[in-house]
Amino acid sequence: MIFSSIPFLYYFLPIVLLVYYAAPKAFKNAVLLFSSLVFYAWGEPRYVFLMMASITASYVTGLLIEKYRGRTLSKLFLIVSVALSLALLGYFKYADFFIANFNAITGFSFPFLKLALPIGISFYTFQLISYSVDVYRGETPAQKNIISLGAYVALFPQLIAGPIVRYSDISRQLTSRTHSFDKAWNGCRSFVIGLAKKVLIANTLGELCASYLQSTQSSLAYGWLYAIAYMLQIYFDFSGYSDMAIGLGKFFGFEFSPNFNYPLISSSITEFWRRWHISLGTWFRDYVYIPLGGNRVKRGRMLFNIFAVWFLTGFWHGAEWNFVIWGLYFGVLLTLEKFFFARYLADHKLLGRLYVMFFVIISFGIFAADSFSSALGNLGAMFGTSGQAVFSAEFAYALRNYGFVLTLAAIGATPLCKKLWLLVRNRAKQRAWLDVLEVLVLAFLLIVVSAYLADGSFNPFLYFRF
Amino acid sequence: MKKIIPVIIMTATLACVSLACWLKPHTTYSQSERRPLASKPELSVSSVVSGDFMAGFEDYTADQFPMRDNFRSLKALFSRYLLGKKDDNGLYSAHGHLSKIEYPANAHMMDHAAERFEYIYNTYLKDSDSKVYLSLIPDKNYFLAKPNGYLAIDYDKFIADFRAKTDYMTYIDIVPLLELDDYYRTDSHWRQEKIADIAHLLAKSMGTDARCDYVTNTLDHPFNGVYLGQSALKSAPDTIKYLTNDILSSSIVNYYDTGAAVQGDMYSMTKAHGKDPYEMFLSGSSPLLEIINPNAASDKELVIFRDSYAGSLAPLLAPAYEKITLVDIRYMQSSFVGNFLSFDSQDVLFLYSTTILNNSMSLR
């Protein structure tokens, strides 16, 4: 099930909210776990058992890690837990990638497994690993209640596309969390804004991207327009989903950390990755980069650490070489910044923003592909390697048709609107009418989104495939 | 404002729409979109395990959404005026007309149509004495799209390419006689009262004369064309006008929808008041029908391989022929045509719109 669907908005969510708030405190986690399993089973009836098995395995190993803390067995159970999680991820997500490359290198022709990717496996696997590692490090006690651990892993607001919530961040909330109208209102605002970002902006930009992929007239301008539209689509799609997840979390008393912080205004790639998919970046930092030694090692080793992290970041996004190249591309840019021009960029913000835009747009030309060769095709379209025209009629129409949405998206990707709103609020003598206006705008957005969904304008979330 | 009030307002909005979704009576058919609406999927272990129930439920809840047509209109207006979109699901309006973008030209589809026509020619016509003609009808984007900045196929090239693939037929060019106002504003089809000159040109090119005086009648029922329902935009309906005279009144129409001949009307008043009033012309879709003109001046016969555009045009050719047979290979396999027709010395006209040729998988 996805948030931007009528079954979720008008069937699942009202029932879950009703049952959740009616349930006694002791049963709230059970309600959340059960509803999350239903939510997951809606899209993946078979794989719900895989997720339950993963939760059970992590629950048992977590208890054992804690029981034998300080002894070799503790480390052994940690290794077992992490290896099990990675093995499942590797089997379901990467098996065919490895088979294809093995066949290509050796000339063998092992058959592909052709497994459907369990939705959200990349996200919940990382959450389970963080749980085991945090318990091993003693940063949090093992969860004794399997329902609470299950509720953490399967929690439907963040189950299938993040943010990657660390156990240590919400372990306390699992047993004791508060519910208030203030929190519910903030959640409501976040959810509706995220829903509008997804349905009204990202899906509309998705239409532009689909038109490009069906185009018959290749042109340089259209290649760049596609990359820009795809970048904005991904941003509004994924950050919209994160907003909805954070908003839904608040309905149920949870506080998730922000996952995006206007990354497209960054003046360096380093800053970009501090603002884009924050939960993934910090996960790799804390569970890969720092354990490898981080930057407190010799330069050669540090370079290895950086490229290992960015190889894995790219690979996490998809089992294709273009994702690996995409990750390493950022690794190269970050290394260059780290060693050569970080200070220059800090002193020249405008130039830095243009530099970030240029290289991030190119990166999404690579990211938009589904293979290395199609990534080269996208880059070729942007740099005219096929000698194509600069403009085309299709480009002109796409610009006319989507120019306003692109402009809205570009403005919406900056904090301008938020700042303006806060400015007006701070200067207003009577804030009551602003509150009324805000409620009306959000109710209107909810109705308009419903109109889009009733019309069948429907696109699955892009980050589901990761 | 205390946050309790906004929360109550948003919760009430969610609850009201949810209740409306749950309690709304089931609707089986969408008049505006001219399609059956999804019904509630069967709930069973196998349908849940296979995911069919969930997929069906998604369709069901979208199709059965309360006040769906109003919501579709809201979406179209929001998309157009607040997001600045020039088209919505490919539909656009310009010069008071609604139309749907037909782009790009699909070479594969064109090849398929040409292959079907060649099959018919080689199987039935090549060794007969029939004279074979082709005439192509551009859809109204030909006149509407480019001048208003919308994407359109290169119609001149499209027609030239198709003629090259069917060079065994004599081409009759009707494009110079057409203009935008010959088409309904809210529908894809042409207006019968505007195409008598087309019928005359076709008949003349086939060596006969279809000139006639007609009485123009106006249907007492508004015509909401196919684009009006699809676009969900508000627009004044079209008016259907149809031509009559003594020759058409005395002609007999035999429909072979079920194999046996059933006599019917040239203009079906039942269909005129039905879901798609354009179907009043020769009762809409039919795999095979004949128009018999007992008062014809000659014994010439015409066979038209056709799509829906011919429904309103064929009656205007009736004065020139003793018998006109209309074959629609969207509803009959080309290989079955020989079971019903034998070709000797008839005129044979392939009359198709560019829309069908560019989306030709329905040609069988």
Side-chain angles (χ1 to χ4, degrees):
Chain A
M1 200 180 295
I2 63 168
F3 299 158
S4 58
S5 69
I6 293 169
F8 177 81
L9 283 175
Y10 296 119
Y11 291 80
F12 180 83
L13 185 59
I15 292 171
V16 172
L17 284 172
L18 207 63
V19 176
Y20 178 82
Y21 279 101
K25 191 180 171 188
F27 292 105
K28 286 195 189 300
N29 281 352
V31 170
L32 278 181
L33 175 60
F34 179 75
S35 54
S36 297
L37 293 177
V38 171
F39 176 88
Y40 192 78
W42 186 266
E44 297 280 5
R46 290 171 186 151
Y47 286 150
V48 74
F49 299 104
L50 177 73
M51 186 174 68
M52 288 163 73
S54 296
I55 292 168
T56 307
S58 291
Y59 171 74
V60 173
T61 50
L63 291 175
L64 293 169
I65 289 166
E66 187 175 67
K67 184 178 178 184
Y68 295 104
R69 192 186 306 283
R71 293 157 62 180
T72 314
L73 271 177
S74 181
K75 195 168 195 172
L76 182 68
F77 285 120
L78 172 68
I79 292 168
V80 168
S81 174
V82 172
L84 205 58
S85 295
L86 290 177
L88 285 176
L89 185 63
Y91 179 70
F92 284 99
K93 186 168 179 176
Y94 298 105
D96 281 349
F97 173 80
F98 288 123
I99 291 171
N101 285 284
F102 183 78
N103 287 347
I105 292 167
T106 61
F108 286 111
S109 53
F110 284 107
F112 292 111
L113 302 181
K114 294 181 181 172
L115 297 167
L117 180 69
I119 292 173
I121 191 170
S122 304
F123 290 93
Y124 75 70
T125 299
F126 271 35
Q127 295 199 166
L128 286 170
I129 291 173
S130 85
Y131 166 70
S132 299
V133 173
D134 288 354
V135 172
Y136 176 77
R137 287 172 174 170
E139 291 174 6
T140 183
Q143 178 56 259
K144 308 292 185 297
N145 185 334
I146 192 168
I147 290 175
S148 294
L149 184 67
Y152 154 67
V153 176
L155 195 61
F156 73 85
Q158 47 80 53
L159 171 60
I160 49 182
I164 300 166
V165 179
R166 286 197 227 173
Y167 180 74
S168 53
D169 289 342
I170 65 160
S171 58
R172 200 167 289 170
Q173 296 173 39
L174 282 168
T175 48
S176 171
R177 55 185 180 272
T178 56
H179 305 83
S180 68
F181 282 109
D182 271 9
K183 202 183 246 188
W185 173 238
N186 287 335
C188 210
R189 182 167 43 201
S190 184
F191 180 77
V192 175
I193 288 172
L195 194 61
K197 281 166 80 173
K198 160 66 185 160
V199 175
L200 306 182
I201 305 292
N203 284 1
T204 306
L205 293 173
E207 291 171 18
L208 166 56
C209 294
S211 301
Y212 172 83
L213 295 175
Q214 293 167 0
S215 71
T216 56
Q217 299 174 342
S218 180
S219 69
L220 280 177
Y222 208 6
W224 280 92
L225 188 69
Y226 169 62
I228 292 167
Y230 190 78
M231 173 188 74
L232 289 168
Q233 184 199 358
I234 282 271
Y235 171 67
F236 278 89
D237 190 284
F238 193 21
S239 71
Y241 190 94
S242 293
D243 289 345
M244 284 185 267
I246 290 165
L248 284 170
K250 288 181 193 292
F251 287 168
F252 300 107
F254 291 98
E255 292 286 355
F256 302 148
S257 302
N259 210 18
F260 288 85
N261 183 23
Y262 302 106
L264 300 179
I265 62 163
S266 304
S267 55
S268 71
I269 297 295
T270 310
E271 184 186 357
F272 174 81
W273 274 102
R274 283 186 191 133
R275 290 169 174 269
W276 177 280
H277 203 171
I278 297 165
S279 63
L280 181 71
T282 52
W283 194 97
F284 272 111
R285 183 195 66 200
D286 294 346
Y287 295 101
V288 180
Y289 186 65
I290 291 173
L292 284 172
N295 52 11
R296 294 179 179 176
V297 287
K298 288 181 181 172
R299 180 168 285 201
R301 175 62 195 230
M302 185 169 71
L303 278 172
F304 171 81
N305 294 347
I306 290 172
F307 281 97
V309 164
W310 288 99
F311 172 88
L312 293 172
T313 301
F315 205 39
W316 179 88
H317 280 86
E320 282 295 343
W321 283 110
N322 65 300
F323 291 111
V324 174
I325 301 293
W326 180 77
L328 293 175
Y329 168 91
F330 280 112
V332 170
L333 289 172
L334 288 163
T335 306
L336 290 173
E337 282 185 11
K338 198 175 193 73
F339 289 116
F340 299 108
F341 49 90
R343 176 159 293 179
Y344 181 84
L345 289 171
D347 294 341
H348 300 82
K349 294 275 186 196
L350 181 62
L351 199 65
R353 288 193 175 115
L354 292 173
Y355 145 81
V356 167
M357 262 302 97
F358 180 73
F359 283 102
V360 167
I361 289 169
I362 290 173
S363 83
F364 280 101
I366 302 170
F367 193 87
D370 53 12
S371 67
F372 183 59
S373 57
S374 66
L376 287 179
N378 286 347
L379 294 181
M382 294 167 76
F383 291 99
T385 53
S386 311
Q388 61 267 55
V390 176
F391 297 107
S392 65
E394 288 182 358
F395 161 73
Y397 182 68
L399 199 59
R400 278 191 69 218
N401 203 17
Y402 297 99
F404 191 69
V405 179
L406 281 164
T407 309
L408 275 182
I411 293 169
T414 71
L416 188 67
C417 296
K418 188 177 178 180
K419 281 185 177 172
L420 271 175
W421 174 248
L422 291 176
L423 189 73
V424 171
R425 273 190 75 88
N426 290 337
R427 291 197 174 178
K429 289 176 183 168
Q430 289 267 327
R431 288 188 186 169
W433 67 270
L434 285 175
D435 290 336
V436 172
L437 180 70
E438 187 179 25
V439 176
L440 290 177
V441 168
L442 290 177
F444 175 70
L445 284 176
L446 182 62
I447 295 298
V448 172
V449 164
S450 303
Y452 270 69
L453 299 178
D455 190 51
S457 305
F458 166 74
N459 275 321
F461 285 98
L462 295 179
Y463 256 66
F464 274 17
R465 63 175 169 145
F466 309 131
Chain B
M1 192 195 299
K2 291 204 183 296
K3 297 307 176 196
I4 186 169
I5 295 171
V7 170
I8 288 172
I9 292 171
M10 292 304 285
T11 309
T13 307
L14 189 72
C16 288
V17 181
S18 297
L19 282 173
C21 287
W22 299 347
L23 302 177
K24 177 189 163 289
H26 180 81
T27 312
T28 54
Y29 189 82
S30 166
Q31 187 66 42
S32 61
E33 296 168 272
R34 298 182 187 174
R35 69 175 181 90
L37 297 173
S39 52
K40 198 177 279 183
E42 184 195 349
L43 180 61
S44 66
V45 175
S46 62
S47 68
V48 169
V49 171
S50 67
D52 290 346
F53 174 79
M54 293 78 152
F57 194 76
E58 304 259 355
D59 294 340
Y60 167 75
T61 53
D63 270 8
Q64 299 295 335
F65 200 75
M67 300 168 66
R68 184 162 175 275
D69 281 346
N70 300 77
F71 275 100
R72 288 181 59 242
S73 295
L74 173 64
K75 185 252 177 175
L77 292 171
F78 187 89
S79 170
R80 187 179 210 192
Y81 294 110
L82 285 174
L83 295 186
K85 288 282 306 292
K86 303 298 170 199
D87 72 76
D88 186 32
N89 297 333
L91 291 149
Y92 67 93
S93 69
H95 284 299
H97 276 259
L98 290 171
S99 191
K100 187 166 193 173
I101 292 172
E102 183 66 41
Y103 185 88
N106 189 323
H108 174 64
M109 292 290 167
M110 189 195 279
D111 287 344
H112 176 71
E115 182 274 321
R116 286 290 79 196
F117 292 0
E118 193 167 355
Y119 170 83
I120 292 168
Y121 179 78
N122 287 335
T123 309
Y124 307 115
L125 302 169
K126 193 175 177 182
D127 299 323
S128 73
D129 291 330
S130 293
K131 291 175 186 167
V132 188
Y133 302 91
L134 169 72
S135 191
L136 301 181
I137 308 160
D139 62 76
K140 66 177 168 181
N141 290 305
Y142 180 81
F143 304 99
L144 200 60
K146 273 196 176 171
N148 291 288
Y150 291 93
L151 286 172
I153 59 178
D154 183 340
Y155 285 91
D156 295 334
K157 182 176 182 306
F158 186 92
I159 291 171
D161 288 349
F162 198 77
R163 286 180 63 182
K165 290 175 193 294
T166 53
D167 57 0
Y168 45 86
M169 303 197 222
T170 302
Y171 185 69
I172 305 172
D173 187 6
I174 59 170
V175 177
L177 294 184
L178 281 168
E179 57 186 14
L180 180 60
D181 286 342
D182 293 343
Y183 298 81
Y184 293 107
R185 288 182 300 100
T186 64
D187 197 74
S188 56
H189 293 103
W190 54 13
R191 311 170 70 102
Q192 192 191 40
E193 75 275 17
K194 298 274 194 178
I195 55 172
D197 55 344
I198 305 277
H200 170 55
L201 173 67
L202 289 170
K204 187 180 170 191
S205 302
M206 293 187 286
T208 184
D209 189 354
R211 279 179 296 182
C212 232
D213 289 329
Y214 292 102
V215 175
T216 303
N217 308 274
T218 303
L219 186 69
D220 61 346
H221 185 71
F223 175 36
N224 292 315
V226 63
Y227 294 144
L228 192 58
Q230 285 178 6
S231 71
L233 292 171
K234 302 291 178 214
S235 175
D238 270 302
T239 303
I240 286 187
K241 294 184 177 179
Y242 57 100
L243 305 179
T244 55
N245 61 18
D246 290 343
I247 296 172
L248 299 195
S249 301
S250 60
S251 294
I252 299 158
V253 185
N254 293 319
Y255 294 91
Y256 290 88
D257 294 10
T258 54
V262 177
Q263 203 166 313
D265 298 318
M266 193 82 83
Y267 303 124
S268 165
M269 288 304 131
T270 309
K271 298 263 183 176
H273 294 84
K275 294 166 185 170
D276 179 6
Y278 182 79
E279 290 196 333
M280 70 172 288
F281 297 106
L282 295 174
S283 291
S285 309
S286 177
L288 183 71
L289 66 91
E290 10 171 90
I291 303 170
I292 311 288
N293 174 10
N295 302 313
S298 76
D299 59 354
K300 280 175 75 83
E301 289 187 22
L302 171 66
V303 178
I304 304 178
F305 287 91
R306 59 103 175 201
D307 58 23
S308 56
Y309 281 72
S312 52
L313 182 111
L316 308 184
L317 289 169
Y321 289 94
E322 185 181 66
K323 180 172 150 187
I324 299 176
T325 306
L326 283 86
V327 184
D328 194 336
I329 57 169
R330 292 176 301 169
Y331 306 108
M332 181 198 290
Q333 292 279 1
S334 300
S335 55
F336 291 174
V337 172
N339 297 345
F340 301 96
L341 289 175
S342 58
F343 294 88
D344 40 61
S345 59
Q346 303 101 319
D347 290 337
V348 177
L349 171 65
F350 286 78
L351 180 64
Y352 280 90
S353 64
T354 49
T355 312
I356 289 291
L357 299 185
N358 202 38
N359 303 275
S360 69
M361 284 319 287
S362 58
L363 299 180
R364 297 152 70 188

